[in-house]
Amino acid sequence: MDVHECVSFILLSESQVLLEKRSESKETDPGVITIPGGHIEHGENQVQALFRELKEELNVTPTHYTFLCSLYHPTSELQLIHYFVVSQWTGKITAQEADSIEWYPLNTASAGITVDGVALKEVERVGMFL
């Protein structure tokens, strides 16, 4: 099975995290509450994909970000998701592809896929929101 690399971005504002409700028309995880992200395109590195996907998904540009971890997410394809914590950005956040976005308290945020839940727990564990 081929591995498809992706980036996901954990936007933090104080101790809140931004999650999206994925569009029902998405092939992977339709209608599920997740951390926003997308596939790394051929020839891109993780950081290039982070910048492109943040612009496409939320219409913002990161100004402060940190790599968190990489985790596998088995769906109809096997994804290797590289998670980044984004604590500062420019632009006004607007949902470009998701049905909706909402801020949740980090300590009670509930993502609809296991791998995102693991990543959120890792943010808490290492104290990146302080």
Side-chain angles (χ1 to χ4, degrees):
M1 177 180 272
D2 290 337
V3 174
H4 299 267
E5 291 193 68
C6 302
V7 294
S8 282
F9 22 94
I10 300 170
L11 270 73
L12 292 180
S13 180
E14 297 180 17
S15 61
Q16 295 206 320
V17 61
L18 187 76
L19 299 178
E20 70 175 14
K21 180 178 186 283
R22 291 178 58 82
S23 171
E24 293 290 344
S25 65
K26 290 286 188 180
E27 185 176 317
T28 304
D29 304 315
V32 176
I33 303 293
T34 64
I35 297 169
H39 285 81
I40 296 175
E41 294 181 356
H42 180 72
E44 275 185 324
N45 64 38
Q46 293 172 15
V47 172
Q48 290 168 326
L50 172 71
F51 274 71
R52 179 184 52 75
E53 284 289 346
L54 266 165
K55 195 65 167 171
E56 287 178 8
E57 296 277 334
L58 299 174
N59 199 34
V60 298
T61 302
T63 57
H64 188 270
Y65 58 91
T66 305
F67 173 76
L68 176 66
C69 63
S70 296
L71 300 167
Y72 284 99
H73 176 46
T75 64
S76 56
E77 64 184 24
L78 180 59
Q79 296 178 349
L80 177 58
I81 303 175
H82 306 287
Y83 288 91
F84 288 82
V85 174
V86 179
S87 56
Q88 295 175 7
W89 54 87
T90 59
K92 183 179 187 303
I93 295 172
T94 55
Q96 302 292 305
E97 295 184 10
D99 281 352
S100 63
I101 52 175
E102 189 172 332
W103 290 99
Y104 295 86
L106 180 60
N107 62 350
T108 61
S110 181
I113 59 173
T114 302
V115 68
D116 281 357
V118 171
L120 291 173
K121 290 295 181 199
E122 184 67 359
V123 171
E124 285 188 284
R125 187 185 74 79
V126 299
M128 295 183 93
F129 65 93
L130 298 174

